[in-house]
Amino acid sequence: MRFAGSKRVSVSARRALGRLALGGLALAALAAPAAAQTYAALPAVPSAASVSGEARPISAWVTFCQSYAAECAVDRSEPASIALTPATWNTIVSVNRRVNKAVRAMTDMDHLSVPDRWDMAEDGIGDCEDFQLLKRHMLAEAGLPRRAMRMTVVIDEKGEGHAVLTLITDRGDFILDNKTSTVLPWRQTGYAFIKRESQDTVGWVSLGRAPSPTTTANR
């Protein structure tokens, strides 16, 4: 699948960072230790979600990719997993917490009068997927391989479609979520995992047998 009309992501990112007043998230500062979630406390036994075939993408993601093609592109020369180090872990935890604190959660219907739209919370307001897309962009800017950071659709504790960001690492799959600032191994989230972006092509892969939601339109 190819997409045209790509926005200049660097400009978009600068606007997002400026409007969110995230000056403290300068890349040099991202490696600052994040209290409470330490590298030493990571699970000893890695756990990764199993892929079981292709899946239909969320329609709002397709529209997002038409405007932000670089955010959806897959570079197969990148590592397929993140090699976790204490510094990398601190960066991940810091970005997750700071974006969760800076972005104001609001559904797309309340914010934009549309059922579901994916972007990077350029105006400081967003719902679940907007948080995760901004986090991924910032982590990629910090040097983490985008190919190892996959947008993921789950069914949450309310039985609703929800978007999280899966980090595929050498210590297992970890989840970045706007509902919590704790970065959790995927099995500890309590969510039913449905599908995520492919690591090999611009598309999605299935993670489970539960029916797929058509949107991820909750906060």
Side-chain angles (χ1 to χ4, degrees):
M1 185 184 303
R2 298 183 63 184
F3 301 103
S6 174
K7 292 183 180 178
R8 294 181 62 186
V9 175
S10 59
V11 173
S12 172
R14 284 199 298 271
R15 289 175 180 170
L17 296 181
R19 292 176 183 175
L20 292 174
L22 290 178
L25 272 178
L27 297 184
L30 291 182
Q37 275 208 278
T38 65
Y39 176 80
L42 294 181
V45 180
S47 177
S50 298
V51 172
S52 59
E54 295 182 357
R56 184 186 299 274
I58 294 287
S59 60
W61 174 85
V62 175
T63 303
F64 170 80
C65 291
Q66 292 171 349
S67 296
Y68 297 84
E71 295 295 317
C72 298
V74 176
D75 182 356
R76 296 191 65 180
S77 69
E78 284 190 323
S81 68
I82 298 165
L84 283 184
T85 65
T88 300
W89 178 251
N90 286 337
T91 297
I92 291 166
V93 172
S94 180
V95 167
N96 189 56
R97 288 180 174 175
R98 292 178 185 238
V99 172
N100 282 356
K101 183 176 180 179
V103 176
R104 182 156 65 98
M106 185 181 297
T107 66
D108 289 326
M109 185 59 71
D110 290 339
H111 180 204
L112 304 166
S113 299
V114 296
D116 197 18
R117 192 179 88 177
W118 289 35
D119 57 37
M120 289 195 289
E122 283 90 345
D123 62 356
I125 301 171
D127 64 357
C128 53
E129 71 277 348
D130 308 325
F131 281 80
Q132 318 323 330
L133 289 165
L134 179 56
K135 292 172 190 176
R136 178 169 71 178
H137 182 83
M138 295 172 69
L139 289 170
E141 289 288 303
L144 277 66
R146 188 184 306 277
R147 186 184 177 200
M149 299 183 286
R150 302 287 81 191
M151 291 295 294
T152 304
V153 172
V154 301
I155 301 298
D156 69 6
E157 73 284 355
K158 298 178 182 179
E160 298 175 345
H162 180 53
V164 297
L165 182 64
T166 298
L167 303 188
I168 300 165
T169 83
D170 58 358
R171 300 289 295 269
D173 291 356
F174 291 89
I175 303 302
L176 273 60
D177 191 355
N178 60 298
K179 293 188 178 187
T180 177
S181 288
T182 301
V183 180
L184 292 171
W186 74 285
R187 286 191 181 278
Q188 293 182 20
T189 62
Y191 296 151
F193 282 71
I194 306 302
K195 57 189 177 183
R196 74 182 181 209
E197 290 174 303
S198 171
Q199 290 191 285
D200 298 314
T201 187
V202 179
W204 286 64
V205 293
S206 177
L207 300 174
R209 297 180 180 178
S212 175
T214 57
T215 69
T216 57
N218 69 52
R219 294 189 299 176

